[in-house]
Amino acid sequence: MEYGYYPGCSLIGSAHRLNSTTKKIFKRFGHDLKEIPDWHCCGAFEYGNKNELTDFSKSNLKKAHGFCNDIVAPCPACYKNLKEANQDDGGSFSILHPLDVFEYFDIVESIDIKHDLEGRLFTPYYGCVLLRPKETAIKNKDIMENFITRFGGDVDGEKVKDRCCGGNQFFINRWATEKLSRLIIDNTHGDLVVFCPLCHMALKTFSENRKVIYFNDLLLYVMGETDKL
Amino acid sequence: MQQTDNNIEHTIFNIEHLNKKIIGMSGYKREDFSVCLGCKICASVCTVNDLSIDANPQELLSSLFLGRTVEKNHPLVLFCTNCYRCTHNCPWGIRIPEIIRAFRETLGIESQFEKAFKGAVKIWGRVYEPYVFLKSATYMLKEGYIRYVPKWFEYISFHLPYKIKGR
């Protein structure tokens, strides 16, 4: 299957790992990601004028017309903004998060296990925008847990999986991010598994020895694409 | 006395005008807030409380609705993390983070980093991270972010800025 692809600004920069691993997984399952030409920044959470913010994503949808019907956006902020603009525009596209695609194609079942997660403990952490607001949330709010346990791993952190890491305040009030991130780090155990570039940076910055990994890294490890996690 | 009355009227007009602008920017109309039941569930779930700061989004909504002043240093204006816990739990789904963003932009409460972010989008249509970091370098040095650089090596990648065609 072919999808339009909206990487967003962080995935072509600091979250390059999320970009490359998303492409790798989709390719591995026979799906093509075609980058929308000349896409514009979605504005993330930086704009106070709602129309201005929505117009950024609407212009991206305009560029995707005739190019694709389904758009995959891995960054939670981009995904939310695109999905809202699409709903506002009458919903002619399907805006998908990779987690929704993984769920839809039940890739957990189709994976040929090369490494299991037996004896390892993980904290799947979703953060905010993947789960809120309701209108733009991903479909399965336990997909990361389902995946980890299916491959023999143990999970922790149910109580904090949807708490805020404060990533949005990282370059404004760093102490606030530190305090909020530590609430998540200190109340959980095992490797922290995330899908948001901002959560990754916040948790990694303030965790001492805890490993912070993208969910994609976990998938690639189980699939045998990497030997180390 | 007449002068004082004029000043008060002028101030009230300014506050009402400002509140109207903020409400409009966030995509709402003033009457949309009249549905707020005052249940304060937003206050009970607000992430800002986790910072040991009392935060009450419902009170901020009331102030905007009633045309009262909201101070620049209101805890939500300073510390809202855009987590949408308030919206998620609100019986009406009121999008308080978006109202607070409109507030911050209207009052020009932006850090050097946020200004650099918007500056990059204006130039290229996208955020070019090296530009954002250079533009906010003094702020980041002053605020001690430099100590985290060893943890950020995995985020480094090199690419040139690309100016998009069309908007």
Side-chain angles (χ1 to χ4, degrees):
Chain A
M1 190 160 167
E2 200 171 80
Y3 299 91
Y5 185 52
Y6 182 84
C9 305
S10 57
L11 267 74
I12 57 165
S14 54
H16 56 92
R17 183 161 183 81
L18 187 59
N19 191 24
S20 61
T21 53
T22 302
K23 286 178 177 171
K24 214 172 183 175
I25 293 166
F26 272 72
K27 199 173 172 189
R28 181 73 195 266
F29 286 96
H31 300 300
D32 284 333
L33 293 175
K34 271 172 43 186
E35 190 167 323
I36 297 167
D38 287 297
W39 52 266
H40 191 280
C41 168
C42 77
F45 298 107
E46 304 301 325
Y47 291 81
N49 188 323
K50 182 138 186 175
N51 282 338
E52 188 183 10
L53 183 78
T54 314
D55 282 350
F56 288 158
S57 290
K58 284 188 178 174
S59 83
N60 288 322
L61 294 176
K62 223 178 260 172
K63 286 172 180 173
H65 267 294
F67 183 77
C68 58
N69 297 318
D70 306 306
I71 303 172
V72 171
C75 168
C78 303
Y79 162 73
K80 174 191 166 287
N81 285 339
L82 262 182
K83 204 163 178 176
E84 279 177 1
N86 185 47
Q87 285 166 355
D88 216 35
D89 257 358
S92 43
F93 292 92
S94 289
I95 310 297
L96 305 163
H97 190 268
L99 286 173
D100 279 339
V101 181
F102 299 162
E103 167 79 1
Y104 183 78
F105 286 102
D106 202 5
I107 64 158
V108 172
E109 283 302 317
S110 58
I111 283 181
D112 181 18
I113 308 170
K114 293 286 190 314
H115 301 116
D116 65 30
L117 304 174
E118 208 71 49
R120 300 187 69 151
L121 181 61
F122 300 92
T123 289
Y125 174 70
Y126 294 81
C128 305
V129 190
L130 285 178
L131 306 182
R132 294 182 295 266
K134 294 178 189 96
E135 298 81 11
T136 49
I138 56 166
K139 288 191 178 71
N140 183 351
K141 294 168 182 68
D142 301 310
I143 183 170
M144 294 203 275
E145 293 91 312
N146 294 351
F147 175 84
I148 293 165
T149 50
R150 164 80 176 74
F151 294 111
D154 293 315
V155 292
D156 189 27
E158 174 66 25
K159 281 186 186 154
V160 296
K161 75 177 198 179
D162 65 341
R163 303 294 296 203
C164 180
C165 70
N168 206 253
Q169 287 276 341
F170 195 90
F171 294 107
I172 307 169
N173 297 296
R174 193 187 66 233
W175 71 268
T177 310
E178 179 163 3
K179 190 162 183 176
L180 295 172
S181 289
R182 284 197 190 283
L183 282 176
I184 293 149
I185 296 161
D186 296 344
N187 288 295
T188 57
H189 302 90
D191 298 346
L192 287 147
V193 185
V194 301
F195 216 114
C196 169
L198 211 51
C199 300
H200 193 286
M201 190 179 241
L203 296 174
K204 187 170 166 83
T205 302
F206 299 114
S207 63
E208 309 302 329
N209 301 313
R210 293 279 292 285
K211 208 182 265 181
V212 183
I213 56 173
Y214 283 115
F215 179 68
N216 286 351
D217 291 317
L218 206 67
L219 270 180
L220 289 168
Y221 174 73
V222 171
M223 285 154 59
E225 291 281 330
T226 49
D227 287 327
K228 236 181 132 188
L229 194 57
Chain B
M1 196 60 189
Q2 180 64 41
Q3 182 66 32
T4 315
D5 285 349
N6 284 345
N7 284 345
I8 292 169
E9 269 178 37
H10 185 68
T11 309
I12 290 171
F13 172 78
N14 277 341
I15 294 166
E16 282 187 350
H17 182 70
L18 183 70
N19 288 4
K20 207 174 158 187
K21 189 177 171 189
I22 291 164
I23 295 168
M25 273 175 77
S26 60
Y28 281 107
K29 293 189 284 295
R30 185 173 168 264
E31 53 268 34
D32 293 334
F33 298 161
S34 65
V35 296
C36 173
L37 307 165
C39 69
K40 295 189 181 66
I41 197 161
C42 50
S44 72
V45 297
C46 179
T47 294
V48 176
N49 290 309
D50 291 342
L51 299 170
S52 311
I53 298 168
D54 280 339
N56 186 349
Q58 189 266 331
E59 174 246 3
L60 186 132
L61 275 189
S62 302
S63 297
L64 285 174
F65 181 71
L66 297 169
R68 290 190 199 129
T69 316
V70 178
E71 299 296 334
K72 254 185 169 184
N73 60 356
H74 189 288
L76 284 166
V77 174
L78 295 180
F79 299 110
C80 172
T81 62
N82 287 288
C83 73
Y84 286 93
R85 282 173 69 86
C86 48
T87 307
H88 186 77
N89 288 283
C90 171
W92 298 97
I94 298 174
R95 293 170 163 251
I96 292 156
E98 291 161 21
I99 297 159
I100 293 166
R101 288 212 291 271
F103 206 101
R104 286 175 61 84
E105 187 162 305
T106 307
L107 298 183
I109 310 167
E110 286 174 317
S111 70
Q112 216 170 325
F113 187 87
E114 290 167 288
K115 282 180 194 156
F117 181 106
K118 288 185 180 176
V121 174
K122 211 169 187 178
I123 299 169
W124 294 289
R126 292 179 185 173
V127 175
Y128 183 55
E129 288 172 345
Y131 170 88
V132 176
F133 279 97
L134 278 175
K135 275 291 209 187
S136 41
T138 48
Y139 169 77
M140 292 180 70
L141 281 170
K142 205 175 106 202
E143 297 295 323
Y145 285 87
I146 198 85
R147 85 181 81 148
Y148 302 117
V149 170
K151 288 202 164 201
W152 293 348
F153 283 138
E154 75 169 278
Y155 301 126
I156 297 169
S157 72
F158 181 76
H159 71 281
L160 291 168
Y162 172 77
K163 191 173 169 61
I164 66 160
K165 292 175 196 80
R167 160 64 209 282

